[in-house]
Amino acid sequence: MKANVLRSGLLFIGLLSLAVTASIYLVPKRKAPAVDFTTITGTTLTTASLKGRPVLISFWSTTCSVCFLEMPHLTKLYQDYREKGLEIIAIALPFDMPSRVLAIVKANKLPYPVVLDPQGLLTLAFGRINATPTNFLVSPDGAIVIQKVGLLDFDKVRQMLDRMLQQK
C-alpha cells in the first residue's frame, strides 16, 4: 500500500515538473513594444533599428536608491558588451525633472543612452511602469527574456548575453 502511494506521489511530481517545464518553453515570450526613444542628446533609437541586437531597457528614477546602486553595474555591462552589440537604454520616469536627470547623468558619467519620458508614453508602452528600477532584457529577435522589478542579477544577465551573442 505504501509503495503504491509513493509511486503515485512520484508520478504526480514527475508530471507536474514536466508540465512546468513545458509551460516555460512553450509559452511564447512577449515582444518588446514598437516605440521610439529620443535620448537627452537628441538621438532617436527605435525598437526596429535595434532588432538583431540585445537591448537592456532600464526604467529608473532620480529618487530611487536602488537605481543608483545599479548604475555602476550598468556602466560596466555597457563597457563590456557594447562592442559585441549590446545597447542599454535608461528611461527616467515622467515625474523626474529633466534638469535633475541631466545632472545625474553628468555626475555619474553614464555612457549609455538616457531618455526622458515626460508624457509617460514609454512607461505606458512597457506596462505602466510605476516601480523602479524596472528592467527589460530584450533578445535580438525582440522578445522580452527578462522583466525584473528591483536590483538585477547581473551575473544572470551576463550569462544570457553571452548565449545570445554566441548565437549571432
Side-chain angles (χ1 to χ4, degrees), residues 135-146:
N135 292 286
F136 297 86
L137 180 59
V138 180
S139 68
D141 68 357
I144 296 172
V145 295
I146 293 177

Side-chain angles (χ1 to χ4, degrees), residues 37-108:
F37 307 96
T38 302
T39 70
I40 58 175
T41 62
T43 304
T44 299
L45 303 167
T46 65
T47 48
S49 71
L50 295 168
K51 193 162 181 143
R53 301 171 60 184
V55 180
L56 180 62
I57 299 167
S58 182
F59 287 88
W60 67 287
S61 170
T62 60
T63 59
C64 168
S65 60
V66 176
C67 298
F68 286 92
L69 292 175
E70 275 193 343
M71 284 178 186
H73 296 283
L74 289 170
T75 296
K76 179 72 171 133
L77 190 71
Y78 189 73
Q79 291 166 342
D80 292 347
Y81 286 90
R82 172 75 171 132
E83 294 297 319
K84 298 174 185 176
L86 173 69
E87 186 61 82
I88 294 177
I89 301 171
I91 303 169
L93 291 189
F95 59 79
D96 285 311
M97 296 294 298
S99 60
R100 179 84 173 118
V101 172
L102 294 172
I104 289 168
V105 169
K106 184 177 178 181
N108 290 280

Side-chain angles (χ1 to χ4, degrees), residues 112-128:
Y112 45 84
V114 176
V115 173
L116 299 173
D117 187 23
Q119 297 169 330
L121 300 176
L122 296 171
T123 59
L124 183 61
F126 278 87
R128 299 188 188 274

